[in-house]
Amino acid sequence: MFKDKVILAFETSCDETAIAIMKDSELLVNKISSQVDIHEKFGGVVPEVASRAHSEMIRNLFHLSLNEAQLELSDIDIVASTDGPGLVGSLVVGYNFAKSVAWSLDKPFLPVDHMVGHLSAPLIEHPQLDPPFLSLLVSGGHTQIVLVEEWGKYELLGTTVDDAAGEAFDKLSRYCGFGFPGGPAIQKISDGGDESKISLPRPKTSGKYDYSFSGLKTAAIYYLQDLKQEDGVSRKDFAASYQEAIVDSLMGAFSKAVKETNIPTISGGGGVMANKRLREKLAIFAKKNDKNIYIPSPALSTDNAAMICSAAQMNLTTKDLNINDVRLSSIIN
Amino acid sequence: MYKLSISTSGSYISACLHEEKLTGSLIFKSNQGSTNLLLNEINELLVKTNVEKKDLGAIYLDTGPGYYTGLRIGYSVAQGVGGSLGIPIVPVNGLDSLAFAAHTSHRKICAIIDIKRSEFAFCTYKPVPGGVVRESEPEILNIESLKEKFADDNEKKLLVGNWDLLDENALPNDSNTKLADPKIVSAETIHSVGERIFQNNKFPNFNEIAINYMREPDVSLSQTSLEKKVEFND
Ligand SMILES: [Zn+2]
């Protein structure tokens, strides 16, 4: 544990260049230079575009972060960085930059798994989060139910057999021209819509707690192909129904896992965890079943470097952890 | 004050240190997933030569053209070290470094660097006293256009760089052409050019240093091809 240290962390596994600084468990800086504008015109993250943007941004962001924290380089005790999983061309930028900073300053370098970052993100706002707990990690790159037996000991109970939940949002949003990223776009359009207007499937899998989203996506696309204006379906009704189908699916396997494992605490993370409807349903479920619930605020649910600080502070590095299950199942490309 | 030169644009990862003259040099074959190789190599170089980080005064960086991931590793390490030690980074074009290494020749110099997908970065130079000057701007050529380029040119010339990666039938087979060293961009070829730029004080600020990709990024997703007209009633 490095509770009284100044930790500088980097996260560049996908399309956000992120840097955070934590001092005495307090988050001083949490900077995210999003590339959403760049990728929006392509309707998705283009790996080569993402890598280039990371290189262009990282050093400026580094100096800005130190300035904002009003720290000197010599104040830094530990440097951490995501070392995977993610887009390789993006990871190498943050990882090499971070490691070079650590080397130059003669400070320890801690490589952190991106998924472990998400698992430890809730600690920033909810330091009382204590294993065992079940976490629902949902984003454009991963959809997992992870049992945290103790810090450093994880079991992957369920994962998606095809698309990630965030991909299901992105693909439909692209199809409908709603915008990128799909999750926030669909959430916005669904505001005030009737989520029961259109009946869409809640796909089941053979795996006990596994997910599948490609059937839902296909069903929705078939539905839209046949849709006629006189059917009277509005954008917001469709968006609300589709969102509801994803959220229901996510809640299905997760609530089953929570009940069957009888774990007292639930948590979550990833970009899709910023979804309002999912957060509402999780909160209701926790209350009904008398579970503790510690979900990071939306800004700490989506990819960020504060979560890498949080994992580094707990010394949850990839060096000595058995986290193969978590890593291998979540490689983005 | 020591100068650290690094090159990661091709199949080798190299680093060297110079004070007045060469202090030490390391070169390793790059392999897939060799993310840690460059920084480990720099560390080993400093340990072996007994040079301390605080004695580094500048970094001469190979900014390509070449392999993208390698270039980004070199760039990230240079920016990380440069930013933390507070020392300048001098960007050096790999083609320029190859030509400069052959500047004592009296022939025209053609520098070639592999940039994968059967394409090569290419530039021609004229030797002048003490150095070389570009005759053209660097361009990307595939094997066919390289062949044409050579066929149209009967000047006496020297080929440097990755010519050994070209098929034999792509290489000009005439008495005007000499195949020469260096065959690869290395930290040492980068140093020679970097040192001149550094001494002339004509290098950019860190945030103006760009990697010479020479190609626009591949974009496999296209909004227009995926977006369908959906008949909502609003
Ligand atoms: Zn993530």
Side-chain angles (χ1 to χ4, degrees):
Chain A
M1 295 280 272
F2 305 114
K3 287 250 185 249
D4 53 346
K5 302 284 187 205
V6 177
I7 303 171
L8 165 71
F10 295 79
E11 148 65 42
T12 63
S13 64
C14 191
D15 62 337
E16 323 268 11
T17 315
I19 299 181
I21 301 174
M22 200 178 251
K23 186 186 178 188
D24 301 332
S25 308
E26 189 199 339
L27 196 56
L28 297 185
V29 174
N30 184 25
K31 281 210 166 301
I32 298 173
S33 174
S34 175
Q35 305 175 7
V36 165
D37 295 353
I38 308 172
H39 296 284
E40 200 172 11
K41 60 176 187 270
F42 306 120
V45 176
V46 182
E48 178 58 25
V49 173
S51 314
R52 291 186 186 194
H54 285 305
S55 332
E56 282 159 23
M57 280 184 251
I58 195 156
R59 178 146 170 208
N60 273 323
L61 207 61
F62 166 66
H63 292 304
L64 276 173
S65 303
L66 285 167
N67 277 344
E68 203 176 297
Q70 297 184 316
L71 291 176
E72 301 290 324
L73 276 161
S74 54
D75 296 327
I76 293 164
D77 297 314
I78 291 169
V79 184
S81 168
T82 308
D83 72 338
L87 303 169
V88 174
S90 293
L91 281 166
V92 296
V93 175
Y95 178 87
N96 273 287
F97 189 92
K99 205 171 174 181
S100 301
V101 171
W103 178 82
S104 303
L105 302 175
D106 286 316
K107 299 294 178 188
F109 173 72
L110 304 184
V112 172
D113 183 272
H114 180 80
M115 305 311 291
V116 174
H118 278 306
L119 288 175
S120 47
L123 286 171
I124 300 164
E125 295 156 311
H126 310 283
Q128 67 272 48
L129 171 68
D130 208 22
F133 65 90
L134 268 193
S135 187
L136 177 63
L137 301 180
V138 270
S139 77
H142 36 81
T143 304
Q144 305 179 335
I145 298 173
V146 181
L147 167 63
V148 180
E149 291 171 50
E150 54 189 78
W151 287 115
K153 203 168 167 210
Y154 315 115
E155 192 185 339
L156 185 68
L157 297 189
T159 185
T160 178
V161 297
D162 40 55
D163 291 350
E167 264 180 290
F169 275 121
D170 286 342
K171 286 179 178 170
L172 244 288
S173 186
R174 192 154 72 225
Y175 188 88
C176 298
F178 287 165
F180 172 81
I186 287 179
Q187 172 176 303
K188 198 170 166 208
I189 292 169
S190 70
D191 197 31
D194 176 1
E195 72 273 3
S196 58
K197 180 92 176 181
I198 299 145
S199 114
L200 289 165
R202 274 52 172 166
K204 294 256 177 323
T205 62
S206 53
K208 207 171 172 196
Y209 307 123
D210 282 343
Y211 290 111
S212 166
F213 288 101
S214 97
L216 167 64
K217 175 197 67 193
T218 310
I221 288 176
Y222 282 149
Y223 175 84
L224 292 173
Q225 281 170 347
D226 291 340
L227 188 67
K228 296 279 166 293
Q229 213 161 5
E230 50 272 26
D231 297 339
V233 174
S234 67
R235 281 178 168 74
K236 64 181 177 188
D237 287 343
F238 174 77
S241 302
Y242 188 69
Q243 172 176 269
E244 196 70 5
I246 292 180
V247 170
D248 271 353
S249 303
L250 288 172
M251 287 304 300
F254 187 63
S255 55
K256 193 168 125 197
V258 175
K259 284 178 185 160
E260 291 180 3
T261 53
N262 200 23
I263 298 286
T265 304
I266 61 177
S267 179
V272 177
M273 198 44 75
N275 182 280
K276 267 196 224 147
R277 188 73 181 137
L278 178 59
R279 298 173 79 90
E280 265 168 35
K281 287 210 160 185
L282 276 168
I284 294 167
F285 170 81
K287 197 162 183 200
K288 230 170 122 182
N289 292 278
D290 203 19
K291 303 287 178 192
N292 306 312
I293 176 167
Y294 303 117
I295 307 271
S297 57
L300 292 175
S301 294
T302 49
D303 287 353
N304 63 81
M307 68 187 198
I308 305 304
C309 278
S310 180
Q313 189 188 50
M314 303 275 294
N315 201 16
L316 300 173
T317 75
T318 53
K319 269 184 241 163
D320 42 28
L321 290 179
N322 176 22
I323 48 167
N324 279 340
D325 283 347
V326 182
R327 288 171 75 82
L328 290 176
S329 55
S330 52
I331 300 224
I332 292 173
N333 67 339
Chain B
M1 171 172 87
Y2 289 88
K3 282 79 157 231
L4 170 68
S5 306
I6 54 183
S7 172
T8 52
S9 61
S11 326
Y12 293 87
I13 305 290
S14 58
C16 68
L17 271 178
H18 283 76
E19 198 183 15
E20 293 298 294
K21 54 184 174 29
L22 182 68
T23 311
S25 179
L26 282 173
I27 184 161
F28 292 115
K29 184 108 176 94
S30 161
N31 57 330
Q32 283 290 322
S34 55
T35 305
N36 289 312
L37 195 57
L38 175 62
L39 198 58
N40 290 348
E41 189 176 310
I42 294 172
N43 187 57
E44 192 181 328
L45 184 61
L46 264 69
V47 171
K48 279 188 170 156
T49 53
N50 255 323
V51 172
E52 289 189 45
K53 288 161 200 162
K54 65 171 173 48
D55 297 325
L56 295 178
I59 301 170
Y60 302 161
L61 171 70
D62 173 6
T63 49
Y67 304 159
Y68 293 175
T69 301
L71 286 171
R72 278 195 280 266
I73 290 174
Y75 182 90
S76 305
V77 168
Q79 292 285 19
V81 174
S84 306
L85 297 178
I87 57 175
I89 300 169
V90 177
V92 178
N93 184 297
L95 290 163
D96 293 350
S97 85
L98 287 170
F100 185 81
H103 78 269
T104 48
S105 154
H106 297 293
R107 292 162 173 250
K108 170 165 116 174
I109 302 163
C110 303
I112 302 171
I113 291 176
D114 177 30
I115 57 168
K116 290 198 173 159
R117 287 190 252 153
S118 304
E119 289 189 319
F120 293 83
F122 181 88
C123 189
T124 58
Y125 298 81
K126 184 167 76 196
V128 293
V132 290
V133 288
R134 282 188 192 172
E135 272 191 338
S136 61
E137 274 308 297
E139 58 187 320
I140 299 178
L141 299 174
N142 59 23
I143 308 230
E144 271 317 300
S145 23
L146 255 178
K147 262 193 201 168
E148 278 167 35
K149 194 129 222 156
F150 291 139
D152 295 346
D153 178 3
N154 43 31
E155 249 183 281
K156 278 192 182 309
K157 57 185 169 296
L158 202 67
L159 257 55
V160 289
N162 298 131
W163 52 261
D164 59 335
L165 298 179
L166 293 168
D167 283 340
E168 232 163 83
N169 64 18
L171 283 170
N173 183 17
D174 58 54
S175 54
N176 290 329
T177 308
K178 253 175 84 176
L179 304 173
D181 283 335
K183 289 204 272 292
I184 58 162
V185 179
S186 68
E188 293 187 37
T189 67
I190 294 297
H191 167 82
S192 311
V193 178
E195 182 66 15
R196 268 160 185 80
I197 300 173
F198 186 66
Q199 296 305 343
N200 290 331
N201 232 335
K202 274 204 273 188
F203 53 90
N205 195 315
F206 74 85
N207 52 13
E208 288 156 8
I209 298 169
I211 295 173
N212 294 301
Y213 292 110
M214 297 187 69
R215 270 195 293 241
E216 287 306 310
D218 276 344
V219 175
S220 50
L221 291 163
S222 156
Q223 174 95 352
T224 44
S225 67
L226 286 161
E227 190 183 323
K228 300 281 181 314
K229 192 103 190 85
V230 180
E231 289 194 43
F232 292 115
N233 86 330
D234 57 344

